[in-house]
Amino acid sequence: CSRSLCGVPVIVCNSCTKVAADKPASLMCELCREGYLAPSEVPNLVAMKRKAEEIVGDKCTDPNQHRLSKKPKVYYKDRIFLRRVPLTATFTKIKKLLGEDKVERLMWLVDKKSGAFYGSCVVLLSSPSDVKQILERSSLVVDKKRVKVSEVFKKDDEEDLFQHLAPQKEYPPIGAVMLNTQ
């Protein structure tokens, strides 16, 4: 549309293309033809929202009363989360890095569809004091790559990763290889 604040694109048929190219200022959208007037200023949406909240009075100041308030995170006491782990890492390398006697198991985190390694893993440690010691180090180095360390929090709907005792895998999984059979 040729009006200054409208900016609605106007579709022109093939037979009207020459007229539209000669006189682009004559193009108007359907809204402007019907008499709709675009606002002269861009509306302040933030101020409008605040004003609406004041009128409705639905603003909740107490976070405990808010029905969608978040629950505090609950952390596992015997696990750590390692991210940015290189594909060349192995269970033995991580076990040596963290301490042979401290690491009980390791779960490589993989994509659900492809089964490929994400670059993250969860490590089950022997005691909560081991978790504190490793978290104080904050970052570790595996195969010349800096690995980030953090706590693992519990999710309500998640089952325990170490519940099913599958055999410990030495290497991270690389995923399913899809062969093109056409």
Side-chain angles (χ1 to χ4, degrees), residues 6-73:
C6 182
V8 174
V10 179
I11 299 173
V12 179
C13 66
N14 290 335
S15 61
C16 302
T17 307
K18 183 168 176 19
V19 175
D22 292 341
K23 298 179 186 175
S26 66
L27 295 174
M28 288 181 83
C29 67
E30 289 295 319
L31 289 172
C32 292
R33 263 193 222 136
E34 291 176 6
Y36 174 77
L37 296 174
S40 58
E41 295 180 10
V42 178
N44 185 350
L45 298 176
V46 176
M48 289 171 63
K49 181 180 180 215
R50 285 187 188 136
K51 188 174 181 180
E53 285 175 348
E54 288 174 9
I55 292 170
V56 174
D58 190 28
K59 203 172 192 180
C60 185
T61 55
D62 187 9
N64 295 333
Q65 291 179 350
H66 198 276
R67 58 186 160 91
L68 297 176
S69 64
K70 289 186 176 181
K71 296 178 185 175
K73 289 184 179 180

Side-chain angles (χ1 to χ4, degrees), residues 51-167:
K51 188 174 181 180
E53 285 175 348
E54 288 174 9
I55 292 170
V56 174
D58 190 28
K59 203 172 192 180
C60 185
T61 55
D62 187 9
N64 295 333
Q65 291 179 350
H66 198 276
R67 58 186 160 91
L68 297 176
S69 64
K70 289 186 176 181
K71 296 178 185 175
K73 289 184 179 180
V74 179
Y75 294 95
Y76 285 103
K77 293 182 167 91
D78 59 348
R79 296 160 197 205
I80 57 170
F81 179 73
L82 302 179
R83 64 177 187 228
R84 299 177 66 188
V85 178
L87 189 59
T88 57
T90 63
F91 175 63
T92 307
K93 289 178 185 177
I94 291 175
K95 197 171 182 176
K96 283 180 184 175
L97 181 69
L98 300 176
E100 294 278 341
D101 56 332
K102 295 179 183 179
V103 177
E104 289 185 14
R105 296 190 56 78
L106 180 136
M107 178 68 67
W108 304 107
L109 299 181
V110 296
D111 180 54
K112 288 182 181 179
K113 289 183 182 177
S114 66
F117 178 55
Y118 269 138
S120 301
C121 64
V122 177
V123 181
L124 179 65
L125 299 172
S126 56
S127 72
S129 61
D130 295 336
V131 172
K132 288 179 184 175
Q133 288 175 353
I134 293 170
L135 286 172
E136 287 172 358
R137 289 198 268 179
S138 75
S139 70
L140 307 167
V141 178
V142 177
D143 291 338
K144 299 180 185 176
K145 298 287 181 183
R146 205 166 169 197
V147 176
K148 303 273 185 173
V149 182
S150 62
E151 294 176 285
V152 180
F153 66 91
K154 295 180 183 179
K155 292 183 181 176
D156 292 337
D157 60 342
E158 183 180 67
E159 69 176 57
D160 189 6
L161 287 173
F162 296 101
Q163 180 181 9
H164 309 290
L165 293 175

